[in-house]
Amino acid sequence: MVYAIIVAAGKGLRMQDSKRKQYKELDGKPILAHTLMAFDRCDSINQIIVTLPAKDLDFCRQTILPAAGVKKKTELISGGERRQDSVHNGLNAIKKDDGIVLIHDGVRPFVRQEHLMACIEGAQKQGACILGLPAFDTVKEVNAKNEIVQTRPRDNLWLAQTPQAFEVKLIKQAHASAKEDGFIGTDDAALVERLGAAVKMIPGSRSNIKITRPEDLKLARALLRAGGFDS
């Protein structure tokens, strides 16, 4: 079995709008609907789990799912206070420990089909893999005063994206260990890394943007107008 957990329980504060970012419209549909459509098109994915704010479950069932036209088995569950808590809730909805799970940001609607397949195949072969991009700008480390401490060599630095794909048993173990130790990671791969497991990096796409700020939404609309969204 291949599962997909779509994380969409965020408050979207950086969007500077009362409307949550995952529900903002993009080409006539909510961003989250576009994301769901991409995963619904992937024949290798068997089940989709969406984590949402608890009070939005009915809204999404009545509005987002019809807009996306999802045909796969899809379960809507309540997210948690933090992203990591939401993923943990999503993993708890997977009753078996075998199979592969893809974990993806609900506001990354431009993920390509070939990258979904690459993540599935990578996790099947190695146990854990994520999409990412080599750092193409110079990377500076700064202190609390925004003063540069040092310039980091970027040859081996990558920017992480989603989806991140794992053997179900491995990522459940990683989340359980993090919860027990009170560890909070910035992504799911970090939780697996601290177990000592190898995580393979798969080259992603610069169009696989995460829509978190108003300027990101403008960029997303420009990508659609330019035909830059290759699903």
Side-chain angles (χ1 to χ4, degrees), residues 16-87:
Q16 301 171 10
D17 195 309
S18 58
K19 191 173 189 178
R20 295 183 191 274
K21 58 189 177 184
Q22 57 267 44
Y23 310 140
K24 301 281 285 186
E25 281 207 355
L26 182 63
D27 196 31
K29 294 180 184 291
I31 293 169
L32 179 56
H34 285 279
T35 303
L36 288 170
M37 289 164 61
F39 280 78
D40 193 54
R41 284 195 296 269
C42 183
D43 292 337
S44 295
I45 294 173
N46 304 108
Q47 181 178 346
I48 300 171
I49 299 164
V50 189
T51 67
L52 298 156
K55 66 179 183 179
D56 293 352
L57 292 174
D58 286 341
F59 165 76
C60 288
R61 192 172 288 112
Q62 296 166 9
T63 303
I64 303 297
L65 292 185
V70 176
K71 296 179 176 62
K72 293 186 188 297
K73 180 181 179 181
T74 302
E75 184 175 358
L76 307 183
I77 65 172
S78 298
E81 182 180 350
R82 293 166 297 208
R83 183 187 187 279
Q84 188 166 313
D85 301 320
S86 295
V87 174

Side-chain angles (χ1 to χ4, degrees), residues 118-137:
C119 285
I120 293 169
E121 292 167 5
Q124 288 171 337
K125 290 177 181 178
Q126 187 153 333
C129 65
I130 73 172
L131 284 187
L133 291 174
F136 46 84
D137 289 325

Side-chain angles (χ1 to χ4, degrees), residues 11-230:
K11 298 177 181 177
L13 299 179
R14 285 176 289 184
M15 190 58 78
Q16 301 171 10
D17 195 309
S18 58
K19 191 173 189 178
R20 295 183 191 274
K21 58 189 177 184
Q22 57 267 44
Y23 310 140
K24 301 281 285 186
E25 281 207 355
L26 182 63
D27 196 31
K29 294 180 184 291
I31 293 169
L32 179 56
H34 285 279
T35 303
L36 288 170
M37 289 164 61
F39 280 78
D40 193 54
R41 284 195 296 269
C42 183
D43 292 337
S44 295
I45 294 173
N46 304 108
Q47 181 178 346
I48 300 171
I49 299 164
V50 189
T51 67
L52 298 156
K55 66 179 183 179
D56 293 352
L57 292 174
D58 286 341
F59 165 76
C60 288
R61 192 172 288 112
Q62 296 166 9
T63 303
I64 303 297
L65 292 185
V70 176
K71 296 179 176 62
K72 293 186 188 297
K73 180 181 179 181
T74 302
E75 184 175 358
L76 307 183
I77 65 172
S78 298
E81 182 180 350
R82 293 166 297 208
R83 183 187 187 279
Q84 188 166 313
D85 301 320
S86 295
V87 174
H88 189 265
N89 290 354
L91 290 171
N92 284 340
I94 300 175
K95 302 308 178 185
K96 297 182 179 180
D97 284 348
D98 57 342
I100 299 297
V101 58
L102 280 71
I103 301 171
H104 188 67
D105 300 320
V107 289
R108 285 190 193 266
F110 294 158
V111 62
R112 298 179 179 179
Q113 293 297 303
E114 63 263 32
H115 290 150
L116 293 179
M117 289 305 304
C119 285
I120 293 169
E121 292 167 5
Q124 288 171 337
K125 290 177 181 178
Q126 187 153 333
C129 65
I130 73 172
L131 284 187
L133 291 174
F136 46 84
D137 289 325
T138 299
V139 179
K140 304 285 189 181
E141 181 181 349
V142 301
N143 59 23
K145 298 178 181 179
N146 282 346
E147 298 167 340
I148 295 172
V149 175
Q150 63 176 313
T151 300
R152 293 281 189 181
R154 66 185 181 191
D155 294 349
N156 296 319
L157 295 179
W158 284 59
L159 308 177
Q161 297 183 333
T162 66
Q164 302 190 349
F166 310 94
E167 293 177 342
V168 172
K169 184 177 182 179
L170 175 61
I171 191 62
K172 281 188 173 184
Q173 179 186 357
H175 269 266
S177 175
K179 190 175 183 65
E180 182 179 349
D181 297 341
F183 175 82
I184 303 298
T186 54
D187 69 355
D188 296 286
L191 276 56
V192 173
E193 292 162 34
R194 69 188 294 269
L195 294 182
V199 182
K200 182 178 178 63
M201 184 69 81
I202 295 175
S205 167
R206 291 185 68 176
S207 66
N208 186 24
I209 62 172
K210 185 177 182 182
I211 304 174
T212 59
R213 300 178 184 273
E215 57 266 33
D216 299 328
L217 190 55
K218 292 179 182 178
L219 176 58
R221 289 168 175 158
L223 278 170
L224 284 174
R225 287 196 301 269
F229 173 27
D230 179 6

